[in-house]
Amino acid sequence: MSGAATQAMRRLKIAELSAKIFGNTFNPTGVRTGNYILRQGFRAENIVQYYPSTQEMNLVKLSRMNKLFGMTFYDPDEIDRRNAYEKRKQRGKGPPKKGHGKRASLAKNKKK
């Protein structure tokens, strides 16, 4: 019996030494350590990129302040978008007036 116990102790010592050498964690009892979570990448950068930066938020606040105090704030992308919207509207491609859309026309046909 003592021979089997000493062999088990030797195996544990060898496992501990190999874990130290190769940089692995030594866990002879198999307890959950959460090491798999620590091995995952740090996700904070992706979360920070998802939300707008403080500079972008300040830009939005600045445009609101400019509207309140009558100053002009030019955004070339917004101007281009509005120009394209006006061109579409002139060609009759804008959104329909309230009560004149597809659903409203379908409802009118059903009533007849």
Side-chain angles (χ1 to χ4, degrees):
M1 235 11 189
S2 66
T6 55
Q7 275 187 337
M9 291 298 288
R10 285 181 187 166
R11 286 186 187 145
L12 282 176
K13 286 280 190 184
I14 290 172
E16 186 177 1
L17 286 173
S18 68
K20 282 184 184 177
I21 291 170
F22 295 112
N24 297 331
T25 56
F26 177 65
N27 189 5
T29 58
V31 177
R32 295 177 69 180
T33 61
N35 198 25
Y36 64 98
I37 293 173
L38 296 175
R39 276 188 263 127
Q40 292 175 358
F42 191 58
R43 287 186 259 177
E45 291 90 13
N46 295 333
I47 294 170
V48 168
Q49 289 173 359
Y50 178 79
Y51 294 102
S53 67
T54 54
Q55 291 175 347
E56 292 172 6
M57 293 301 289
N58 289 339
L59 190 64
V60 170
K61 290 177 185 175
L62 179 66
S63 65
R64 288 182 188 158
M65 292 299 288
N66 287 339
K67 287 178 186 175
L68 287 175
F69 295 113
M71 292 186 269
T72 56
F73 181 75
Y74 295 105
D75 183 10
D77 294 331
E78 180 66 17
I79 292 170
D80 291 341
R81 186 189 71 80
R82 287 184 181 175
N83 288 339
Y85 176 77
E86 289 299 324
K87 286 180 184 177
R88 286 178 58 89
K89 197 171 183 181
Q90 287 174 357
R91 290 185 291 148
K93 302 291 185 181
K97 292 182 181 177
K98 192 171 183 179
H100 293 281
K102 186 177 181 182
R103 283 180 39 192
S105 64
L106 289 174
K108 287 178 186 176
N109 290 337
K110 283 185 178 179
K111 288 181 182 179
K112 289 181 182 180

PDB file of all heavy atoms in Angstrom, residues 15-27 35 39:
ATOM      1  N   ALA A  15       3.927  16.424 -11.788  1.00  0.00           N
ATOM      2  CA  ALA A  15       2.923  17.283 -12.427  1.00  0.00           C
ATOM      3  C   ALA A  15       3.101  18.740 -12.002  1.00  0.00           C
ATOM      4  O   ALA A  15       2.976  19.662 -12.812  1.00  0.00           O
ATOM      5  CB  ALA A  15       1.528  16.797 -12.084  1.00  0.00           C
ATOM      6  N   GLU A  16       3.449  18.944 -10.723  1.00  0.00           N
ATOM      7  CA  GLU A  16       3.658  20.302 -10.233  1.00  0.00           C
ATOM      8  C   GLU A  16       4.889  20.933 -10.874  1.00  0.00           C
ATOM      9  O   GLU A  16       4.859  22.088 -11.308  1.00  0.00           O
ATOM     10  CB  GLU A  16       3.817  20.274  -8.706  1.00  0.00           C
ATOM     11  CG  GLU A  16       3.886  21.634  -8.074  1.00  0.00           C
ATOM     12  CD  GLU A  16       3.973  21.566  -6.565  1.00  0.00           C
ATOM     13  OE1 GLU A  16       4.005  20.452  -6.002  1.00  0.00           O
ATOM     14  OE2 GLU A  16       4.004  22.645  -5.952  1.00  0.00           O
ATOM     15  N   LEU A  17       5.958  20.171 -10.972  1.00  0.00           N
ATOM     16  CA  LEU A  17       7.176  20.685 -11.599  1.00  0.00           C
ATOM     17  C   LEU A  17       6.957  20.984 -13.079  1.00  0.00           C
ATOM     18  O   LEU A  17       7.414  22.008 -13.598  1.00  0.00           O
ATOM     19  CB  LEU A  17       8.326  19.686 -11.424  1.00  0.00           C
ATOM     20  CG  LEU A  17       8.932  19.602 -10.027  1.00  0.00           C
ATOM     21  CD1 LEU A  17       9.931  18.458  -9.957  1.00  0.00           C
ATOM     22  CD2 LEU A  17       9.603  20.908  -9.688  1.00  0.00           C
ATOM     23  N   SER A  18       6.254  20.090 -13.781  1.00  0.00           N
ATOM     24  CA  SER A  18       6.028  20.333 -15.206  1.00  0.00           C
ATOM     25  C   SER A  18       5.120  21.553 -15.406  1.00  0.00           C
ATOM     26  O   SER A  18       5.280  22.307 -16.371  1.00  0.00           O
ATOM     27  CB  SER A  18       5.420  19.109 -15.875  1.00  0.00           C
ATOM     28  OG  SER A  18       4.113  18.880 -15.412  1.00  0.00           O
ATOM     29  N   ALA A  19       4.189  21.776 -14.487  1.00  0.00           N
ATOM     30  CA  ALA A  19       3.335  22.958 -14.587  1.00  0.00           C
ATOM     31  C   ALA A  19       4.157  24.224 -14.399  1.00  0.00           C
ATOM     32  O   ALA A  19       3.945  25.218 -15.102  1.00  0.00           O
ATOM     33  CB  ALA A  19       2.222  22.895 -13.555  1.00  0.00           C
ATOM     34  N   LYS A  20       5.114  24.197 -13.495  1.00  0.00           N
ATOM     35  CA  LYS A  20       5.989  25.351 -13.286  1.00  0.00           C
ATOM     36  C   LYS A  20       6.869  25.584 -14.504  1.00  0.00           C
ATOM     37  O   LYS A  20       7.066  26.709 -14.941  1.00  0.00           O
ATOM     38  CB  LYS A  20       6.868  25.146 -12.055  1.00  0.00           C
ATOM     39  CG  LYS A  20       6.169  25.373 -10.746  1.00  0.00           C
ATOM     40  CD  LYS A  20       7.143  25.238  -9.590  1.00  0.00           C
ATOM     41  CE  LYS A  20       6.427  25.378  -8.265  1.00  0.00           C
ATOM     42  NZ  LYS A  20       7.328  25.176  -7.126  1.00  0.00           N
ATOM     43  N   ILE A  21       7.391  24.508 -15.059  1.00  0.00           N
ATOM     44  CA  ILE A  21       8.303  24.634 -16.204  1.00  0.00           C
ATOM     45  C   ILE A  21       7.578  25.182 -17.440  1.00  0.00           C
ATOM     46  O   ILE A  21       8.057  26.084 -18.112  1.00  0.00           O
ATOM     47  CB  ILE A  21       8.961  23.271 -16.524  1.00  0.00           C
ATOM     48  CG1 ILE A  21       9.921  22.890 -15.396  1.00  0.00           C
ATOM     49  CG2 ILE A  21       9.700  23.316 -17.855  1.00  0.00           C
ATOM     50  CD1 ILE A  21      10.438  21.473 -15.491  1.00  0.00           C
ATOM     51  N   PHE A  22       6.405  24.641 -17.728  1.00  0.00           N
ATOM     52  CA  PHE A  22       5.699  25.003 -18.958  1.00  0.00           C
ATOM     53  C   PHE A  22       4.691  26.137 -18.776  1.00  0.00           C
ATOM     54  O   PHE A  22       3.998  26.507 -19.721  1.00  0.00           O
ATOM     55  CB  PHE A  22       4.999  23.767 -19.536  1.00  0.00           C
ATOM     56  CG  PHE A  22       5.958  22.709 -19.974  1.00  0.00           C
ATOM     57  CD1 PHE A  22       6.030  21.510 -19.295  1.00  0.00           C
ATOM     58  CD2 PHE A  22       6.797  22.920 -21.044  1.00  0.00           C
ATOM     59  CE1 PHE A  22       6.915  20.533 -19.686  1.00  0.00           C
ATOM     60  CE2 PHE A  22       7.688  21.951 -21.446  1.00  0.00           C
ATOM     61  CZ  PHE A  22       7.750  20.753 -20.764  1.00  0.00           C
ATOM     62  N   GLY A  23       4.608  26.688 -17.581  1.00  0.00           N
ATOM     63  CA  GLY A  23       3.734  27.832 -17.351  1.00  0.00           C
ATOM     64  C   GLY A  23       2.264  27.476 -17.259  1.00  0.00           C
ATOM     65  O   GLY A  23       1.414  28.330 -17.517  1.00  0.00           O
ATOM     66  N   ASN A  24       1.942  26.251 -16.936  1.00  0.00           N
ATOM     67  CA  ASN A  24       0.541  25.849 -16.777  1.00  0.00           C
ATOM     68  C   ASN A  24       0.127  25.981 -15.314  1.00  0.00           C
ATOM     69  O   ASN A  24       0.966  26.117 -14.429  1.00  0.00           O
ATOM     70  CB  ASN A  24       0.342  24.406 -17.238  1.00  0.00           C
ATOM     71  CG  ASN A  24       0.644  24.226 -18.700  1.00  0.00           C
ATOM     72  OD1 ASN A  24       0.488  25.150 -19.481  1.00  0.00           O
ATOM     73  ND2 ASN A  24       1.088  23.042 -19.079  1.00  0.00           N
ATOM     74  N   THR A  25      -1.149  25.897 -15.061  1.00  0.00           N
ATOM     75  CA  THR A  25      -1.618  25.951 -13.679  1.00  0.00           C
ATOM     76  C   THR A  25      -1.664  24.534 -13.120  1.00  0.00           C
ATOM     77  O   THR A  25      -2.041  23.592 -13.809  1.00  0.00           O
ATOM     78  CB  THR A  25      -3.023  26.562 -13.600  1.00  0.00           C
ATOM     79  OG1 THR A  25      -3.886  25.819 -14.438  1.00  0.00           O
ATOM     80  CG2 THR A  25      -3.013  28.008 -14.024  1.00  0.00           C
ATOM     81  N   PHE A  26      -1.270  24.416 -11.883  1.00  0.00           N
ATOM     82  CA  PHE A  26      -1.277  23.122 -11.215  1.00  0.00           C
ATOM     83  C   PHE A  26      -2.536  23.044 -10.376  1.00  0.00           C
ATOM     84  O   PHE A  26      -2.738  23.816  -9.440  1.00  0.00           O
ATOM     85  CB  PHE A  26      -0.022  22.971 -10.341  1.00  0.00           C
ATOM     86  CG  PHE A  26       0.015  21.696  -9.573  1.00  0.00           C
ATOM     87  CD1 PHE A  26       0.111  20.476 -10.221  1.00  0.00           C
ATOM     88  CD2 PHE A  26      -0.051  21.697  -8.186  1.00  0.00           C
ATOM     89  CE1 PHE A  26       0.148  19.295  -9.518  1.00  0.00           C
ATOM     90  CE2 PHE A  26      -0.013  20.524  -7.471  1.00  0.00           C
ATOM     91  CZ  PHE A  26       0.086  19.323  -8.139  1.00  0.00           C
ATOM     92  N   ASN A  27      -3.399  22.109 -10.734  1.00  0.00           N
ATOM     93  CA  ASN A  27      -4.683  21.973 -10.058  1.00  0.00           C
ATOM     94  C   ASN A  27      -4.946  20.478  -9.827  1.00  0.00           C
ATOM     95  O   ASN A  27      -5.683  19.843 -10.584  1.00  0.00           O
ATOM     96  CB  ASN A  27      -5.779  22.604 -10.909  1.00  0.00           C
ATOM     97  CG  ASN A  27      -7.088  22.701 -10.188  1.00  0.00           C
ATOM     98  OD1 ASN A  27      -7.170  22.379  -9.009  1.00  0.00           O
ATOM     99  ND2 ASN A  27      -8.113  23.142 -10.880  1.00  0.00           N
ATOM    100  N   ASN A  35      -9.778  30.038 -14.744  1.00  0.00           N
ATOM    101  CA  ASN A  35      -8.615  30.353 -15.560  1.00  0.00           C
ATOM    102  C   ASN A  35      -8.995  30.522 -17.030  1.00  0.00           C
ATOM    103  O   ASN A  35      -8.373  31.298 -17.748  1.00  0.00           O
ATOM    104  CB  ASN A  35      -7.569  29.242 -15.403  1.00  0.00           C
ATOM    105  CG  ASN A  35      -6.211  29.688 -15.860  1.00  0.00           C
ATOM    106  OD1 ASN A  35      -5.924  30.870 -15.863  1.00  0.00           O
ATOM    107  ND2 ASN A  35      -5.383  28.742 -16.248  1.00  0.00           N
ATOM    108  N   ARG A  39      -7.899  33.648 -19.555  1.00  0.00           N
ATOM    109  CA  ARG A  39      -7.196  33.454 -20.818  1.00  0.00           C
ATOM    110  C   ARG A  39      -7.866  34.170 -21.980  1.00  0.00           C
ATOM    111  O   ARG A  39      -7.237  34.408 -23.002  1.00  0.00           O
ATOM    112  CB  ARG A  39      -7.096  31.959 -21.149  1.00  0.00           C
ATOM    113  CG  ARG A  39      -5.916  31.297 -20.473  1.00  0.00           C
ATOM    114  CD  ARG A  39      -5.734  29.888 -20.968  1.00  0.00           C
ATOM    115  NE  ARG A  39      -6.382  28.993 -20.014  1.00  0.00           N
ATOM    116  CZ  ARG A  39      -7.283  28.071 -20.313  1.00  0.00           C
ATOM    117  NH1 ARG A  39      -7.656  27.889 -21.550  1.00  0.00           N
ATOM    118  NH2 ARG A  39      -7.824  27.312 -19.388  1.00  0.00           N
TER     119      ARG A  39
END
